Amino acid sequence: MSIERPGPARWLYYQLGGRLPERYRDWVLHDATCRTWVLRVLVRGLIPIVPLGAVLFVALGVFGGAWPIAAGALLLGLLVVARIVLTNSVDSVDSRLVRYGFPPGHASAVRRQRDADAAERYKAVWRQQPPE
């Protein structure tokens, strides 16, 4: 079974908080539970900030003349946004899935089960008792 992915315009709309049509429901679940879900949440949080940061960097650097201060301010702003986004990442992803009809906490449960399965596979391969 292949998962239907949204095109670039719908993906950007989704990243900015929009709701995708029902046919992308499986992709949204994948987006919330895949191995790189934290990175995806971070990108989702930084997308709206990057254009604003670029404009402020140009304005402060070119018109203010102190580009090192502008670069430092931009970096500090990005770090603050990243911290806020990552702090709220679990709740954000779980509530996003609720909008698609999944039960509350579903993404967290799927990730916990995936991690438990991986731990079992690891134990089965690498933690065998030595023969006596």
Side-chain angles (χ1 to χ4, degrees):
M1 178 177 130
S2 69
I3 297 174
E4 186 174 356
R5 298 173 170 267
R10 286 203 173 157
W11 178 85
L12 185 60
Y13 175 70
Y14 171 76
Q15 298 304 323
L16 294 172
R19 190 178 191 297
L20 293 174
E22 193 63 28
R23 69 178 183 264
Y24 297 111
R25 185 174 189 260
D26 291 335
W27 181 83
V28 172
L29 178 62
H30 168 75
D31 184 58
T33 59
C34 69
R35 207 171 32 115
T36 59
W37 74 274
V38 174
L39 181 61
R40 291 169 181 247
V41 169
L42 184 60
V43 167
R44 185 178 304 124
L46 292 177
I47 283 178
I49 298 302
V50 169
L52 177 63
V55 168
L56 287 174
F57 178 73
V58 169
L60 289 173
V62 172
F63 299 120
W67 68 268
I69 293 174
L74 178 62
L75 179 62
L76 184 60
L78 289 174
L79 289 174
V80 168
V81 168
R83 169 148 168 109
I84 292 169
V85 166
L86 292 175
T87 300
N88 298 316
S89 62
V90 173
D91 294 333
S92 170
V93 168
D94 282 339
S95 67
R96 184 176 288 262
L97 284 186
V98 168
R99 293 192 319 184
Y100 287 89
F102 293 99
H106 186 68
S108 295
V110 169
R111 288 191 302 269
R112 270 194 307 274
Q113 184 61 48
R114 182 199 61 215
D115 294 344
D117 293 345
E120 286 299 317
R121 284 192 307 274
Y122 178 85
K123 284 171 61 177
V125 172
W126 297 104
R127 299 293 180 208
Q128 296 175 359
Q129 295 295 327
E132 295 185 24

